[in-house]
Amino acid sequence: MNIAFIAAECVPYAKTGGLADVVGALPKHLQAMGHQVIVVMPRYSMINGDRYSLRWFHGPMGVWMGDTQEWCAVHTADNEGVPVYFIESQKYFDRWGLYHDANFNDYADNPRRFGFLTRAGLQLCKDIGFQPDVVHVHDWHTALASAYLKIWHWNDPVLGNAASLLTIHNIAYQGKYPAHHMDYLGLQWGNFTPDKFEDHGAINFLKGGIVYADMVNTVSPTYARETRTPELGYGLAPYLNDRGENYIGILNGCDYAQWNPETDAIIPARYSADDLSGKAICKRELQKRFGLELAPDIPIVGVVSRLVEQKGLHLLAQCIEGIVRDMRVQFAILGSGDKGLEAFFGELPARHGGRIGSYIGYSDELAHWIEAGADFFIMPSLFEPCGLNQMYSLRYGTLPIVRATGGLDDTVRQYDEATGDGTGFKFYEPSARAVYYTVGWAVSTYYDRPQHMQRMIRAAMAQDFSWERSATEYVKAYERAIWNKHRL
Ligand code: ADP
Ligand code: GLC
């Protein structure tokens, strides 16, 4: 099969969250199964051309928008065998950030930037004669491709046969913009109706994508069920329900080439389930790095997260000082995002020296250190489409403490105090009280039932969420998308 990915992020070039991990990893696994895959993404100015051996590839490339033509250049790089194409446009991608400026203000022209990226991705397929069987698009940024294939390219020799799969990584971000962008985007006003793009007078990219895509999926089975309800569908549940069995959940894989304590070159020492001595070294180094009391027998709870409401860290903020007052436990926190939460977590070490360490910012290195050195990893998410960090934690023998939602519920098995079975600690109520008591449950297990801890660590490290399984499910979804497209 020929598969064209068009996406806003891709590891290792540009990342704000798990979307980039998925777009970086899935194509490699599809390629290994014998499929031809290309990835198209923006050439953001922060992507270092030398570091990633980017080469000029094509251009100037003209891209027709609804009411004008844009011009760009295309660079390319090889991502372990997968060709990645970077759309260079000074006008749109030569900026400080991916989606917003340094003050977290979204760029006002985001609908144009990503509408343009999407059209450029399709144009590139035409220019290089890459005839996709499936165009795989991700989140609102590139969801419009599903519509373009049907309203612009239905008769095109290169794109006319292409089916589309839309993957929703997070339904809270839908891409809602003023209606006047319709002309530039070339979506045709006949599509500006409530059953397609129109949403309370605005254009909703994701909604239109859901309606037009040949198949739609999200990144875990539980989140697929949850988004079909008013509580977690963020207004789109009726449209997802209309898609019936053409809306499914496929759990993300975990990239064990990057996240495996036996081979991880970033962490201070390597270890395996049979020999955890390296984990003790990682713990000691983590305590040093985060200014924590150097004690091997105090459990550490780790956090690595975007600091946004979704992640529920305001619940932890409400109870963390009570936790360190009442329990013998330490925290190592890494995150960035919301300014209020940044200030709060950033100032905690000054008040609780030795017990709470934090680093406000983005650091892949520290993310690995926390996964390896902590005993527990907490994710109190209000919702979580899949979540990757709990999967990394399991592999590092760092037991997850999670709210039972979305992919967290699908990947973590509840601790059974009678038998010692399970891989983590789950709670249900989205409250600070539930966070407090569940951390307490984990900490008491650490001190009072060490044999259960050992058993859970073993079970956790043996979990296998490898990409091979997810990639096989994606191929089935592609086949269904193709079937759906040609059935009509
Ligand atoms: P989301 O995509 O919603 O942020 P995921 O759990 O799917 O959640 O993916 C988050 C990814 O981003 C993980 O790879 C995680 O390690 C990484 N990450 C998040 N915040 C940071 C940070 N401050 N520093 C380093 N890595 C981070
Ligand atoms: C989103 C979700 C996260 C998921 C990631 C990759 O950012 O918030 O749960 O793991 O996408 O699919």
Side-chain angles (χ1 to χ4, degrees), residues 25 81 155-156 265 267 318 350:
N155 209 8
D156 186 280
I267 57 179
Q318 286 164 34

Side-chain angles (χ1 to χ4, degrees), residues 199-432:
D199 182 353
H200 297 85
I203 313 171
N204 185 322
F205 279 43
L206 192 63
K207 180 179 174 186
I210 289 169
V211 174
Y212 270 109
D214 295 301
M215 251 332 259
V216 183
N217 83 294
T218 187
V219 289
S220 69
T222 295
Y223 193 60
R225 281 194 299 279
E226 291 170 342
T227 45
R228 287 174 180 271
T229 67
E231 295 74 41
L232 285 180
Y234 281 74
L236 296 183
Y239 307 94
L240 292 169
N241 283 317
D242 278 352
R243 297 306 313 259
E245 59 184 22
N246 293 316
Y247 175 52
I248 60 173
I250 302 179
L251 199 65
N252 284 332
C254 178
D255 193 351
Y256 293 123
Q258 305 290 329
W259 298 93
N260 178 355
E262 293 180 39
T263 53
D264 190 333
I266 299 176
I267 57 179
R270 274 132 297 282
Y271 60 90
S272 67
D274 291 329
D275 179 3
L276 289 168
S277 52
K279 188 164 173 67
I281 298 174
C282 293
K283 178 166 179 175
R284 191 176 167 81
E285 293 301 315
L286 182 67
Q287 284 174 326
K288 278 193 207 154
R289 187 101 181 239
F290 275 78
L292 299 169
E293 183 191 333
L294 294 181
D297 63 330
I298 301 185
I300 307 179
V301 180
V303 174
V304 178
S305 188
R306 292 186 295 126
L307 300 177
V308 293
E309 200 191 345
Q310 169 196 346
K311 301 295 176 183
L313 289 165
H314 54 288
L315 304 178
L316 179 64
Q318 286 164 34
C319 63
I320 189 168
E321 298 192 86
I323 291 174
V324 294
R325 182 192 61 218
D326 301 344
M327 305 171 205
R328 192 164 174 265
V329 63
Q330 301 177 337
F331 281 86
I333 301 168
L334 167 65
S336 63
D338 178 272
K339 294 297 160 203
L341 286 174
E342 283 190 353
F344 178 79
F345 287 115
E347 287 160 11
L348 280 178
R351 288 205 296 278
H352 302 276
R355 300 298 292 281
I356 303 180
S358 70
Y359 176 87
I360 302 305
Y362 191 93
S363 163
D364 196 40
E365 183 191 17
L366 289 181
H368 282 254
W369 277 48
I370 291 175
E371 289 294 0
D375 298 284
F376 301 105
F377 191 95
I378 188 163
M379 295 177 75
S381 304
L382 301 185
F383 67 93
E384 195 62 73
C386 179
L388 298 173
N389 277 111
Q390 82 282 8
M391 295 201 242
Y392 305 154
S393 301
L394 289 167
R395 181 48 63 106
Y396 284 74
T398 303
L399 301 180
I401 301 171
V402 301
R403 182 156 176 267
T405 184
L408 298 176
D409 202 16
D410 289 337
T411 52
V412 177
R413 270 197 351 258
Q414 182 70 302
Y415 169 46
D416 178 344
E417 234 178 275
T419 62
D421 281 344
T423 59
F425 303 83
K426 299 204 244 192
F427 61 96
Y428 292 83
E429 192 184 88
S431 69

